[in-house]
Amino acid sequence: MPSDAKADWDERIAIRSDESREVELPELDPPASVTAVGGVGQVTVDWTPVPGAVGYVILRGTGSQDLEPVDHHSGDILSVPSPPYVDTTCTPGTAYRYAVASVPEVTVHGRPSPSVEGTPLVADGNVPGVRLIVDAVAEGTELQRPWVPMIGSERLSQLLCKDLTGGREIGGELEDALRRMHDEIGVRTVRAHAIFHDDTHVIGAEDYDFSVVDAIYDKLLGIGLRPVVELGFMPRELASDPSRTVFEYGAIISPPASYERWYDLVRGLVGHLVERYGLDEVLGWDFEVWNEANLEVFWSGTKAEWMHLYDVSAAAVKSVDERLAVGGPSSAAAGWVDDLLAHAAAHGTPVDFVTTHTYGSPPLDVQASLDRHGFSAARILWTEWGVTPRHFNPINDSVFSGVFLLRGMRSAAGRVEALSYWVASDHFEELGRPPRFLHGGFGLQTVGGLPKPRFHALTLLSRLGPVELPVTFEGDGGGSLVEAWASRDRDRIAVLLWNLTLDQSKADGAAELTREITLSFPGVDPTWLATATWLTAGEGSGDLVAEAAALGVGDWPTDEQWGELAERSQLHTSPVERTGEDLTITLQMPSAVLIELRPSN
């Protein structure tokens, strides 16, 4: 992709609608009990959560300068859903003032807390220690798995595509990638754009024609997956301005020329799906209205026109059966959630689930928005989420992005129904087909179906047991820089442990953030054997970029290199020594390790 085209896209997706806000938001108090504790290369900021906040902004300054939001270089919103926050964008040895402000809605934040001082320490050559204590004998709770309900995908018409990219057939490989998500990770649904795009030909000469949609959904259901039906984009025959398009494939972003015809189309599709697949099946599907209409690049109309589109779409879905689920706003950067809910409450429009997107940070806690507008029972689906919103960004292929996925899923567990990583495969064509093997594509798997670190992260998550165990931390960055997710099976303890900052300027690593971790398992038989499965930078630990570099891969692997990469890109498990109830490992940033304990016989 030419660099000037990428710059143009980055500028376009940064544009937000400037329409005036009509929703009154609560004035939230600033968080209390704010602390800032310095460690080597980092400051951990902590606070007491505030009822009604969807998130928090961390502010920082030195001396008498004004406090500004800490920028961890995500390319998207900087709000985080909960404490603590580890700041690694700071200069060691410099004293900073920190404050935290509550966020009632993503575009605004309240007054900041009183500032507190925190100073990151200069590395002295010794690796700081963190102690992690796993309560393996606790009763525990059910381990929540927000990665299982949903994954994102390129538009599903590409399942029928016979063209080649990198010598690989697009449709067959996309199908294989989705099957792997189902079979190996346990994913249940797929969310994708453009079921009404021109290449599905839904408007025939005399009536609607859903034969291409049938072929797509037949394939998907054959894999064992259900679709999340995103209602969009606009068919050419219905568009008020068919010249308004997005993406290389020319998706039309115009409002309809006739909302009555849009109603008929949506009702026709939903009725056809019920007739073809049965009501009991389709009652398990979700119908999502449009994609990111709060970005001008995805919706050429006004906010009011999109709200009308939502009303009409919801009415069309419910006209087939009131029990069918419809929701939105499917917004970028967690926007328009309050707007849609306030509108729906005022007009009696159904919202069965709320959907929104963000990148580069864990998802916000939008339950607060649902509660204040009377939609507490609505499900929360983050139908897009990832490490960066930028196409062709090298971070997508990195170990950092895999460890980022772990942090986000852990944050979301128990408070959202689905956190859908965007997307399953590098067969993804929004800005054109992949120009080379490792190009910073959004996919969890490459062209050729090889696992990237983010796919490995999901694999490690899938190996956690059904019972979540409590953990406690001691030491420099424990519980903020270093996190863990502990679990138990009938005859196994599995602890997933990682070292990560949200600071993407350190995506390639930072030696001062290395930590020596001592894991303690009080009450667990010292004879139980321990193994470690690593995800870390360098050859032999799931880093596909390092493996490709070691083999001298060019734009595309040779036939021989494809085979070698398939072998070398796998994760490996090896024994690790225990000393009584403890074991000790060194964990770089970014990296993760799954520690498993089993009886020796």
Side-chain angles (χ1 to χ4, degrees):
M1 178 184 180
S3 59
D4 56 344
K6 180 180 183 300
D8 176 66
W9 175 258
D10 288 351
E11 182 178 347
R12 292 170 73 197
I13 65 171
I15 297 173
R16 297 292 192 271
S17 171
D18 61 358
E19 296 173 71
S20 61
R21 169 169 299 284
E22 300 175 359
V23 179
E24 287 192 20
L25 297 171
E27 293 188 13
L28 299 179
D29 292 333
S33 305
V34 176
T35 60
V37 178
V40 174
Q42 61 91 14
V43 173
T44 293
V45 183
D46 207 347
W47 59 92
T48 301
V50 175
V54 302
Y56 305 89
V57 170
I58 294 82
L59 303 111
R60 187 189 71 193
T62 58
S64 60
Q65 70 179 203
D66 292 339
L67 302 184
E68 299 288 343
V70 175
D71 185 357
H72 50 252
H73 310 287
S74 67
D76 207 335
I77 62 174
L78 298 179
S79 304
V80 295
S82 60
Y85 179 86
V86 60
D87 177 23
T88 63
T89 67
C90 43
T91 302
T94 300
Y96 292 92
R97 292 183 297 118
Y98 288 91
V100 183
S102 304
V103 174
E105 195 271 348
V106 69
T107 61
V108 299
H109 65 74
R111 67 186 188 278
S113 66
S115 63
V116 296
E117 187 171 294
T119 302
L121 306 180
V122 177
D124 62 4
N126 297 312
V127 177
V130 172
R131 187 171 187 84
L132 167 64
I133 303 168
V134 179
D135 187 353
V137 298
E139 182 178 349
T141 57
E142 180 183 358
L143 190 134
Q144 303 297 310
R145 300 173 183 267
W147 62 91
V148 168
M150 191 185 306
I151 193 68
S153 175
E154 171 59 274
R155 69 195 195 281
L156 295 176
S157 61
Q158 292 306 90
L159 287 168
L160 310 178
C161 181
K162 301 296 184 182
D163 293 353
L164 303 182
T165 292
R168 305 283 172 144
E169 183 188 281
I170 292 169
E173 286 212 340
L174 180 57
E175 183 175 349
D176 288 344
L178 292 176
R179 180 175 287 105
R180 192 174 186 187
M181 299 304 304
H182 174 271
D183 293 352
E184 297 184 25
I185 308 300
V187 171
R188 298 195 297 263
T189 68
V190 175
R191 187 258 189 181
H193 300 326
I195 203 62
F196 288 153
H197 182 50
D198 289 346
D199 62 5
T200 62
H201 311 292
V202 294
I203 298 182
E206 298 181 359
D207 200 354
Y208 301 125
D209 181 356
F210 299 120
S211 58
V212 176
V213 175
D214 293 343
I216 292 168
Y217 287 165
D218 286 354
K219 274 187 174 290
L220 201 63
L221 292 169
I223 296 170
L225 292 163
R226 286 173 165 169
V228 175
V229 184
E230 180 196 292
L231 298 171
F233 291 98
M234 191 61 60
R236 182 170 304 277
E237 297 85 350
L238 268 61
S240 59
D241 184 357
S243 70
R244 301 297 298 271
T245 64
V246 69
F247 299 145
E248 289 290 310
Y249 55 82
I252 297 172
I253 62 170
S254 163
S258 164
Y259 283 87
E260 290 77 14
R261 290 193 67 193
W262 174 261
Y263 174 95
D264 288 342
L265 172 62
V266 173
R267 188 177 190 278
L269 172 67
V270 177
H272 172 80
L273 295 175
V274 168
E275 180 179 357
R276 182 175 181 83
Y277 300 111
L279 179 59
D280 287 346
E281 169 63 33
V282 181
L283 284 173
W285 301 15
D286 287 321
F287 293 87
E288 181 184 37
V289 180
W290 212 255
N291 175 72
E292 297 190 355
N294 63 324
L295 297 187
E296 294 177 7
V297 70
F298 286 116
W299 178 248
S300 65
T302 65
K303 182 191 293 185
E305 286 174 312
W306 183 84
M307 293 294 171
H308 186 43
L309 187 86
Y310 183 87
D311 291 342
V312 170
S313 303
V317 171
K318 296 293 188 179
S319 73
V320 178
D321 193 290
E322 282 287 340
R323 296 170 294 172
L324 292 167
V326 64
S330 185
S331 54
W336 284 17
V337 172
D338 281 83
D339 300 82
L340 172 61
L341 295 176
H343 171 88
H347 293 84
T349 306
V351 181
D352 298 305
F353 57 88
V354 166
T355 65
T356 188
H357 311 151
T358 195
Y359 290 84
S361 298
L364 297 181
D365 191 3
V366 297
Q367 184 66 49
S369 293
L370 276 63
D371 292 344
R372 63 174 161 260
H373 294 290
F375 288 90
S376 296
R379 292 176 289 129
I380 300 172
L381 309 176
W382 288 77
T383 50
E384 285 187 31
W385 177 72
V387 68
T388 177
R390 308 299 182 187
H391 294 67
F392 302 92
N393 188 332
I395 204 169
N396 284 312
D397 299 331
S398 70
V399 170
F400 182 97
S401 67
V403 187
F404 170 86
L405 185 150
L406 300 177
R407 170 157 288 195
M409 291 295 177
R410 180 68 186 89
S411 171
R415 60 182 180 86
V416 307
E417 181 166 307
L419 184 56
S420 177
Y421 204 94
W422 191 255
V423 291
S425 171
D426 269 352
H427 283 293
F428 187 76
E429 304 186 0
E430 290 184 351
L431 299 193
R433 289 178 177 169
R436 58 191 173 277
F437 175 56
L438 292 173
H439 61 280
F442 284 144
L444 297 166
Q445 302 165 68
T446 68
V447 172
L450 299 183
K452 296 186 189 180
R454 285 168 293 138
F455 184 90
H456 286 316
L458 287 176
T459 300
L460 295 176
L461 286 169
S462 70
R463 288 166 60 176
L464 290 172
V467 177
E468 181 176 349
L469 298 173
V471 298
T472 55
F473 286 96
E474 302 168 355
D476 186 344
S480 57
L481 180 67
V482 177
E483 293 183 311
W485 209 346
S487 68
R488 183 180 61 224
D489 286 343
R490 183 170 54 86
D491 59 353
R492 183 181 66 111
I493 296 167
V495 181
L496 188 49
L497 179 70
W498 58 87
N499 181 342
L500 187 81
T501 168
L502 294 178
D503 176 9
Q504 294 192 13
S505 70
K506 294 181 172 58
D508 293 331
E512 69 275 12
L513 299 180
T514 299
R515 295 295 185 265
E516 184 178 79
I517 317 296
T518 299
L519 290 87
S520 183
F521 298 89
V524 176
D525 189 333
T527 67
W528 277 30
L529 301 179
T531 60
T533 306
W534 287 92
L535 176 60
T536 189
E539 296 175 58
S541 298
D543 184 350
L544 188 59
V545 172
E547 302 293 357
L551 291 175
V553 173
D555 282 353
W556 295 101
T558 64
D559 289 344
E560 181 180 357
Q561 287 173 335
W562 279 118
E564 291 186 69
L565 283 170
E567 175 63 29
R568 296 176 62 150
S569 63
Q570 303 305 310
L571 295 179
H572 302 285
T573 299
S574 57
V576 60
E577 184 177 349
R578 291 182 67 194
T579 304
E581 294 180 339
D582 296 351
L583 63 85
T584 300
I585 58 172
T586 299
L587 202 58
Q588 299 175 339
M589 197 298 298
S591 63
V593 62
L594 179 70
I595 301 293
E596 295 174 279
L597 272 60
R598 292 181 173 89
S600 56
N601 52 16

